[in-house]
Amino acid sequence: MALRILHTSDWHLGHRLYGRRRDAEHEAVLRWLLAMVRAHAVDVLMVCGDVFDTGAPSAAAQEQYYGFLQELRQTGCRHAVILAGNHDSPSFLAAPKGLLRALGVHVITAPQPLVLMDPYGRPELAVAAVPHLRERDVRTAMPGACLEDKAAAWVRGVAAVYAEVMRSVRSMAPQTPAVALGHLFVAGSQVADGQGMRFAVGGVDRVPVEVFPACTYVALGHVHGAQEVAGRAHVRYSGAPLALGFADAGKAKSATLVTVEGEGRMTCELLAAPAPQSMVRLCGPLAQVEADLRRLVEVGGSVWVEVEVTSPEPADTVRRRIEAAVSGSAVDVLCVRVPRSPSLALGAAGERLEELSPEEVFRRLLDAHAVEEGLRPQLTAAFAELMDTVLQCGDQHAP
Ligand SMILES: [Mn+2]
C-alpha cells in the first residue's frame, strides 16, 4: 500500500505585514490544507517548522493552530509531525505535547527517532525528526576556533545528529521506508531576496546536502520557496503556503504531496495553494508608479502594494501623489520606499523603523554613507553572518 505524506512548513501563524494582520489569509490557507488532506487521502501531515511567527503567539494564532489539529483528526489523516523552527519557542510548542500525542500529533522540539504505525499496529514509516538546531544542540567543541573551523565543526555536528537519529529509527523499524525532517538552510537552495534576515537564513547554519543520511525523502522547512535542493529530487523544501513578504508577491505557493511505495520508491507532486490576498510590488519613477496604481484601482478588488520610487521627488510629494492615486479605492499602499536618500530617511512617507527589516536598515546605511558598490556584497554578507549568529544565540527569534 502506498503511503501519502503532505509536506508543508513555514506557516508563520500570527504574522503581520507592515502591521496588517493576516489571520483571514491564514484561515483560508489552513482550510485549503484540510481540503487537500481529504482530497488526496493523506496519511501523514508534516509541518517542518515555523508554525508560528513568534515564540509567544497571539490567542488568535493559537486558536487557528489547535482548531486545525482538531479538524485534521476528522479527516482520516493518521499522523501529524510538527517540527519546531527557529521562529517557534520549543517550550511553547512542547507544553501540550502529551495531549496532542493522544490525537496522533507528534510535536518535535529535540532530535527524535519516530516510528509511525499503520492501523494494524505495524510500522509504516520511520522518521528521523530533527527540529531547528541551536548551537547548544550540536557538539562542535571548538572554543576559540576561527569562523571557518566553527562552520566545519557545525556541519560535522549536524551530520552526526542526523546519522544518530536515523540509525536509531532504522534499528526500531528495519524494513520500513525512512524519511528525515529538518528546519535549516541547505547550501544550493534559492532564497528570494527579501526573505533574508527577517527569516534568518544563511550564515553559520548553512549545511551541504550531504549531511542527510540515505533515505526515501527529506522534508525541509526554513526557505520559503518550494524547491528541490542541490539537484536531489528527494530533498525538498515545501515552501511557505502563503506569501510572507512582497519578495514573494505573485509567486506560486504550494504544499508537496509525497507518495511512498512499499520499497521506498517515492514520487512527489506540488499542490497549488490559493492566494487569498493579492499583493503587488511596484518599482520605478513616480509617474510610472502612479500610472500602475491607477491601473490597479481600475481593475478593482483589494490589493496590497509595496512601492519603491526611483525618481528624485521629495518624500512628501511622493506620499501626496501616491495617496491621490489610490484614494477611495481598495488599493492599499503598505510601504513606500524612497531610495538613495542622504540619511536613513525614517519618517519619510509615514515609515517607521519597526517596519524595516534589519537588512533594509543596513542597505540604507550603506547608501547614507555612500559606500562604493564594489564593497557592498562583502559587507552585506558579513552583516548577514553577524545577524544570524545573534539570532542563533537567543532562545526565540522573533524579528
Ligand atoms: Mn525558519
Side-chain angles (χ1 to χ4, degrees), residues 54-55 84-91 132-137 154 200 204-205 385-399:
T54 67
N86 57 309
H87 279 253
D88 298 304
S89 150
S91 53
H132 176 72
L133 294 168
R134 298 179 162 79
E135 272 193 80
R136 60 174 173 274
D137 303 320
W154 175 257
V204 293
D205 70 345
E385 204 156 18
L386 280 173
M387 271 301 295
D388 220 7
T389 307
V390 169
L391 289 173
Q392 284 221 354
C393 289
D395 260 324
Q396 295 167 10
H397 303 277

Side-chain angles (χ1 to χ4, degrees), residues 303-385:
V303 190
W304 286 358
V305 188
E306 184 183 64
V307 168
E308 181 165 347
V309 174
T310 55
S311 53
E313 293 87 349
D316 55 336
T317 306
V318 169
R319 189 178 57 224
R320 196 165 30 77
R321 284 171 54 182
I322 284 177
E323 268 170 18
V326 301
S327 121
S329 78
V331 176
D332 194 353
V333 179
L334 269 53
C335 170
V336 178
R337 287 168 210 267
V338 190
R340 288 263 164 215
S341 45
S343 74
L344 275 182
L346 287 174
E351 250 178 11
R352 290 184 322 216
L353 182 59
E354 57 268 35
E355 291 169 345
L356 299 178
S357 64
E359 193 180 39
E360 176 63 16
V361 171
F362 189 73
R363 192 181 67 80
R364 291 192 194 190
L365 278 169
L366 293 177
D367 283 346
H369 292 272
V371 175
E372 59 183 275
E373 291 295 335
L375 292 171
R376 292 186 182 207
Q378 221 177 333
L379 286 169
T380 305
F383 179 71
E385 204 156 18

Side-chain angles (χ1 to χ4, degrees), residues 253-288:
K253 308 307 274 176
S254 56
T256 310
L257 181 68
V258 183
T259 306
V260 177
E261 309 289 343
E263 286 84 51
R265 272 176 301 117
M266 157 321 279
T267 53
C268 57
E269 181 191 343
L270 296 193
L271 307 177
Q277 170 66 57
S278 64
M279 287 164 60
V280 174
R281 189 188 226 182
L282 299 177
C283 178
L286 182 55
Q288 186 197 314

Side-chain angles (χ1 to χ4, degrees), residues 162-186:
Y162 273 97
E164 173 54 32
V165 178
M166 188 57 89
R167 186 169 57 237
S168 140
V169 81
R170 281 197 193 277
S171 72
M172 291 153 71
Q175 303 302 324
T176 311
V179 300
L181 268 57
H183 187 93
L184 73 177
F185 185 54
V186 182

Side-chain angles (χ1 to χ4, degrees), residues 10 50 86-87 183 199 222:
D10 297 273
D50 289 354
N86 57 309
H87 279 253
H183 187 93
F199 294 99
H222 196 36

